[in-house]
Every structure is written in C-alpha cells, then in structure tokens.
Amino acid sequence: MGSLLSTPQPDPEWKPEAQFAMEFSCFCVICGSPFDLEGEVYNLDAGATRYKWMRNHRLIASSHAVHYHNLEGLSKEDFHSACYNTSDSTDVFLSARATWNETNDQLFHIDGLYPDTNIPYTITFNAMQQINNHDSIFPLHETCLQISRCAIDHLRPVALGSHEPSSLSILNTMLQSRYRKSSKRTKHDDLIAKNDLFDLCTATDTNGPRSVVGLSLLEWWAGGYEKFYTDPVNVPNITTCVLDLLQNTTAPKACRQSFPPPSRALGALERLPIELLDQISTHFSAHTALSLHRTSRTLAMKVPLDNNFWRKSIMSGNALPYLWDIDTDELDKRRQEHLTASADPDAAWDWEVVGHLLATRHFPLKSLDPRIVDLPNGLWNRRRIWSIVEEAYRRDISKTLTRDRNASALEERKRREPVFDWQVEEIMEDLGHYS
C-alpha cells in the first residue's frame, strides 16, 4: 500500500486501453469518470442510485475569460447578465447544473436568460478548449467539486486575512495552469491526453490505475470500472465500516519508547511541554504529525504517534479529514460499551492500526488485504479523488504559498525595522527633496 508519505511512481511503459472501449472522450478532469453511462458498459444499470452522481455536473472557469467559450457569441457584459454565477469568488465563474450534449461530448449547456429579459435561454459552451490563449472552461462532477474544496480547505494554511484565495479560486488556478501545460506538450487532436491533467491515464504496479481511463481492457471487461463509478460522497454505512475495522483489533500494551539524550541544544519547539505538544498534535493531519514526529529524536519522544494520538485525531477529524461524515458520537459510545463489557482492562481497540490503514493515500484496485477488499466502493473512490487533489495541491500550490508568505513576512520585518538618520536622508534624496 505504501507509507503515509510515499507516492508510487507511474509505470512509464503502461499503455491504458479502457479509453478505447469508452463511448466518449470527455471526462471529469478530477476523477476521470464520464458524465453519463448510457452506452458505456453493456448490460449496466445506468439508472442505479450509486451512478447518478455522474450526471450532476457544473462548469468552472475564470470570470474574465468564460464568455469567450459561449457559442452564442455573447459579449462579456451580456454573458454575465444572462448567466447566474454560483461562485463565492469574484475571480471564478461556477455555473448552476449543466447538461451534456451526447452528440458532441465537448459541448455543455446551461440555462440562462436573454440579456435584459426574463426569457429562458440555453447557452452552449465548447468545454476544455483554448481560444486565443484565454483560460479554458472545465466540466466537473458536483461531488468532485465538493471533495476538491474540502481537501483544499483542509490543506491550505489558516487564513490570515480577507485577501486569501478561496478553495474554489485555488482549484481553478490548478486546472488552468495544468491545462496550459498539457496543451503545449500534446497533439491538438489527442483529446484524451490533453484532458488528462492529473495523470489519470497512468497506473502503478502497486495500486493499479489512477482512474477508469487508466484501466486495461481486461480490467475493463472484468468490471474494474465499478469502484471508479460508485458515488464517492453518499457512502452508506460508513460509520459501521470504521466500527467493523476497530472491533477486529486489540491495541498492544502501551510501551514508552526511550531515546538517548540529545547531543545539541534544543530548539524552541522541542522545549515545549509534552502536555502542550500533545494538545497541538491532535489538530494535525496524519501526514503533518508524522513529519513532525520524524523531525528529531526529542520530538519523536514528545509526539508519540501512539494509540491515544490516533484515537483523538480520528475522533476530531484531523487525522482522516476525508471521513467527514462518520458519526464520532456513535464511535465513542461503542468504544465505552466495549471497554465496560470487557474483563480485560487492556482490551482497547487499536486505533493506530486502523488509522494507518485509512490514512493510506492510495488503496489498490485489487488487494490481498481483506480489510481493503471489504471497504465500501464509495469510500475507496472518495479516498482516491481526495488523494489526486492533495497531490496536485502540494505540487502546484503549497510551495508557492510558502514562498510568497516567507517573502511577505521578510518584507514586513524590513518595514518595521528602525531607520537611521543617514537612511532618511538617502530616502529624501531619492524622492527629490534635496538638491
């Protein structure tokens, strides 16, 4: 499965084949699944509840460029007058629910009004096209949009002011940047490759394909699409699933690990009391806590990633943020009942084992681990989509934000430094006050 910090590398020799069995070349760039299943798979019940999420999709684009993609030729002013923008960011256009044109899978429609009237009007867009170097427009499943925003909100630093970009703005920035790079390196008529912004056509030896368009034909006809096509948001019995995992474990007896005394002076973070670090660490994600734990021997001792840490982190939602809908009250109630009914005082559940399992970034498509095999398909799919967005954010946005914040902090520190008399004279000379 890989560790919490590792990401398996795609096999460079892998040639995806399922895309040639699919009816359409247009797919959601976040998850790789289509916008309708009619004709996709023989004898598939396309109307089943678990597949309905794929029919609900919206269009996302940059506000200043979205009007270039409407085929009615509306000007910027007329377009924004006719179309309702559901976005919470002024720099992003997010449509209401769109409909898909089955005769041309690059065309999408949204309902609007004739400019300056109340007459209904259908506006057609040519999605995922680059027109005169303007930003493009992307169709996304509503569920993928929801998961993406949740992931970005969890990953981005705590906002320090109103100027911070929203999760929707960050997502649009990622999409536009990746589409421009993809368009430059692929052939104009290779729509699958050009629309593959997140390496969805790739596969690894460990985990298999990243999306349905990365399946081999053998996997396709064997039903490998099922996990990718199952609703990733409305996952039934998700709390029961986590409970079943916990109830099949028993925590090992607590054993405090010993470390040799440090050979250098402790840093400010290392000097904090264990009790304070314990409280702080419960607000970390599993990835962040593991990174901090590995920073030094002192922090490894003071921030033990033990059973208690995992229980608090899972219950608070920080360790496994993609499990936003588990019933933590029910988990705690069942935990108390288990401890009360057990004659063994050490018969606690092993939260650490379950935490490590569910924090795995990529669940394999095929696994010999019965715990993974028994996971609901929707949960498997949700974790997959969350990981795709998380990887892209860390690669595209996180480093840039850190660099910008450091530059801003340095500039602010310089601004607050005292100015000497001779520096004032130089500044005045530059401004022309001295001749």
Side-chain angles (χ1 to χ4, degrees):
M1 288 186 296
S3 73
L4 304 184
L5 295 177
S6 65
T7 300
Q9 296 300 312
D11 180 358
E13 302 299 323
W14 175 252
K15 302 294 183 184
E17 302 167 309
Q19 55 188 268
F20 304 112
M22 299 172 71
E23 285 285 314
F24 309 105
S25 63
C26 188
F27 51 84
C28 173
V29 295
I30 298 291
C31 73
S33 296
F35 299 102
D36 201 325
L37 290 181
E38 294 297 339
E40 282 290 301
V41 184
Y42 175 72
N43 205 27
L44 179 74
D45 182 9
T49 302
R50 64 184 181 279
Y51 302 140
K52 288 183 178 179
W53 66 282
M54 284 183 279
R55 295 192 182 90
N56 299 330
H57 44 274
R58 301 190 182 207
L59 303 178
I60 181 174
S62 301
S63 294
H64 69 274
V66 61
H67 64 283
Y68 291 111
H69 299 275
N70 82 88
L71 300 187
E72 275 63 44
L74 295 177
S75 66
K76 182 176 182 179
E77 292 75 17
D78 286 345
F79 174 81
H80 287 288
S81 173
C83 294
Y84 177 63
N85 185 3
T86 67
S87 169
D88 56 4
S89 299
T90 57
D91 60 327
V92 179
F93 173 82
L94 181 64
S95 76
R97 284 191 177 180
T99 53
W100 180 50
N101 190 320
E102 294 184 15
T103 59
N104 185 332
D105 61 3
Q106 298 292 317
L107 298 183
F108 290 80
H109 312 283
I110 60 174
D111 294 330
L113 299 173
Y114 276 103
D116 302 320
T117 71
N118 290 322
I119 302 174
Y121 184 49
T122 299
I123 302 174
T124 302
F125 293 86
N126 197 354
M128 300 192 69
Q129 300 290 324
Q130 201 164 21
I131 301 176
N132 296 330
N133 208 34
H134 296 298
D135 285 354
S136 189
I137 184 169
F138 304 93
L140 300 178
H141 296 121
E142 282 194 35
T143 52
C144 294
L145 189 63
Q146 177 184 344
I147 295 172
S148 298
R149 298 195 69 175
C150 286
I152 293 171
D153 280 331
H154 177 75
L155 292 166
R156 65 177 181 162
V158 177
L160 299 178
S162 58
H163 65 282
E164 297 290 332
S166 69
S167 57
L168 190 64
S169 180
I170 292 174
L171 176 62
N172 182 57
T173 298
M174 289 166 51
L175 295 175
Q176 301 294 348
S177 173
R178 285 180 170 246
Y179 186 73
R180 287 177 183 275
K181 292 177 182 177
S182 179
S183 297
K184 289 179 180 179
R185 67 172 182 259
T186 56
K187 297 179 180 179
H188 178 72
D189 58 347
D190 192 348
L191 295 179
I192 294 288
K194 188 169 69 171
N195 296 350
D196 183 10
L197 309 187
F198 298 96
D199 299 324
L200 300 179
C201 291
T202 62
T204 66
D205 292 336
T206 305
N207 301 322
R210 280 170 64 87
S211 77
V212 70
V213 291
L215 288 170
S216 67
L217 281 178
L218 183 61
E219 290 169 329
W220 172 268
W221 295 119
Y225 51 78
E226 181 65 28
K227 288 180 182 290
F228 299 104
Y229 282 174
T230 302
D231 190 338
V233 169
N234 299 304
V235 182
N237 305 319
I238 191 169
T239 303
T240 302
C241 168
V242 177
L243 271 171
D244 289 342
L245 289 172
L246 287 166
Q247 288 171 342
N248 289 324
T249 65
T250 300
K253 293 184 178 181
C255 179
R256 198 76 176 186
Q257 198 170 1
S258 60
F259 294 91
S263 57
R264 58 173 177 79
L266 297 180
L269 187 60
E270 294 170 316
R271 292 197 301 270
L272 290 177
I274 292 179
E275 295 77 14
L276 182 56
L277 282 171
D278 187 48
Q279 288 297 318
I280 294 173
S281 63
T282 58
H283 297 281
F284 292 156
S285 67
H287 181 276
T288 303
L290 183 56
S291 299
L292 180 63
H293 179 81
R294 290 178 172 179
T295 301
S296 69
R297 290 178 177 178
T298 301
L299 287 174
M301 178 184 67
K302 288 190 170 185
V303 187
L305 304 185
D306 55 14
N307 204 46
N308 189 49
F309 163 81
W310 279 101
R311 180 180 64 80
K312 290 181 179 179
S313 297
I314 291 174
M315 296 294 281
S316 68
N318 291 302
L320 306 171
Y322 74 97
L323 296 179
W324 63 75
D325 47 354
I326 60 172
D327 187 341
T328 55
D329 290 337
E330 179 66 16
L331 283 182
D332 195 50
K333 175 185 172 184
R334 298 291 290 274
R335 180 181 76 92
Q336 296 291 350
E337 290 175 352
H338 171 73
L339 292 175
T340 302
S342 176
D344 183 359
D346 294 321
W349 294 332
D350 197 334
W351 295 80
E352 182 177 358
V353 166
V354 174
H356 273 276
L357 174 71
L358 296 178
T360 304
R361 285 186 172 178
H362 301 278
F363 293 129
L365 180 63
K366 298 177 182 178
S367 176
L368 298 177
D369 189 336
R371 299 173 302 170
I372 294 178
V373 174
D374 293 339
L375 288 177
N377 287 344
L379 180 60
W380 183 95
N381 201 18
R382 183 193 296 184
R383 182 53 173 154
R384 177 184 71 92
I385 297 170
W386 183 287
S387 295
I388 289 171
V389 176
E390 181 178 9
E391 286 176 10
Y393 177 89
R394 294 189 187 280
R395 183 177 299 175
D396 299 0
I397 305 295
S398 184
K399 292 181 180 178
T400 303
L401 284 178
T402 301
R403 185 172 61 249
D404 291 347
R405 285 177 177 273
N406 290 341
S408 177
L410 180 61
E411 186 64 30
E412 179 66 15
R413 191 178 70 182
K414 288 181 177 179
R415 190 178 69 82
R416 293 174 179 271
E417 288 178 350
V419 179
F420 298 101
D421 291 342
W422 62 269
Q423 291 176 308
V424 174
E425 290 182 5
E426 284 190 354
I427 294 171
M428 297 297 283
E429 286 179 3
D430 291 340
L431 292 175
H433 286 260
Y434 284 19
S435 58

